[in-house]
Amino acid sequence: MMVVISVLIMSALYHTLYRIWPARSVYKVPMTPRQSFTGRAVVDTRDYQISYKDPYPQAYCLPLAYLKRHAGELPDQPLLLVSTNEIEKNMAAKVLRKKGFTVEGYALAGECEECPKVPCMAGS
């Protein structure tokens, strides 16, 4: 009985720490409209309801829940993530790295006050 309880506790601890533990080598990038993202793709991992109201320029809108299924639709370039919080950023970076992508940096939503309000340009 103690073995079963220990396994359950270890499993819960692993899944909790997996979400919280930071992704390696993913650094914060300032997102401004004047910044050029040549050679990199911006991926907005926030939910559609949130990203629709506060879009980022030239971003591929692909929420975290859809990354595993639709990661193949992203270009074969280094990626920059736009996320709601640190946990979402960590999970997205880990999923994309498992799929073979290079994640170079991230920005948390709401930090760019001067970004123009343009719709996400998924697939363009």
Side-chain angles (χ1 to χ4, degrees):
M1 186 65 171
M2 289 299 288
V3 173
V4 173
I5 292 173
S6 297
V7 169
L8 289 175
I9 290 173
M10 295 296 283
S11 176
L13 185 62
Y14 170 78
H15 289 291
T16 302
L17 289 178
Y18 182 80
R19 294 174 57 97
I20 296 172
W21 201 265
R24 293 183 328 251
S25 304
V26 179
Y27 303 103
K28 195 170 212 173
V29 176
M31 299 283 251
T32 61
R34 291 180 291 281
Q35 184 176 2
S36 174
F37 298 115
T38 307
R40 296 187 203 120
V42 179
V43 180
D44 192 343
T45 62
R46 300 174 294 162
D47 288 333
Y48 287 125
Q49 294 87 353
I50 297 170
S51 64
Y52 173 76
K53 294 176 185 173
D54 184 26
Y56 273 72
Q58 301 176 348
Y60 291 88
C61 295
L62 194 55
L64 179 60
Y66 296 92
L67 277 180
K68 287 184 181 178
R69 285 182 275 168
H70 298 286
E73 297 174 11
L74 295 173
D76 189 23
Q77 298 176 330
L79 303 177
L80 298 174
L81 302 176
V82 176
S83 300
T84 305
N85 54 41
E86 293 284 333
I87 293 174
E88 184 177 286
K89 178 264 304 182
N90 293 335
M91 293 296 293
K94 290 173 184 178
V95 167
L96 289 168
R97 284 185 174 162
K98 280 185 180 180
K99 295 287 186 179
F101 289 96
T102 302
V103 180
E104 288 188 350
Y106 74 96
L108 296 180
E111 292 181 346
C112 178
E113 297 296 327
E114 55 188 277
C115 287
K117 303 300 183 193
V118 296
C120 286
M121 299 166 49
S124 57

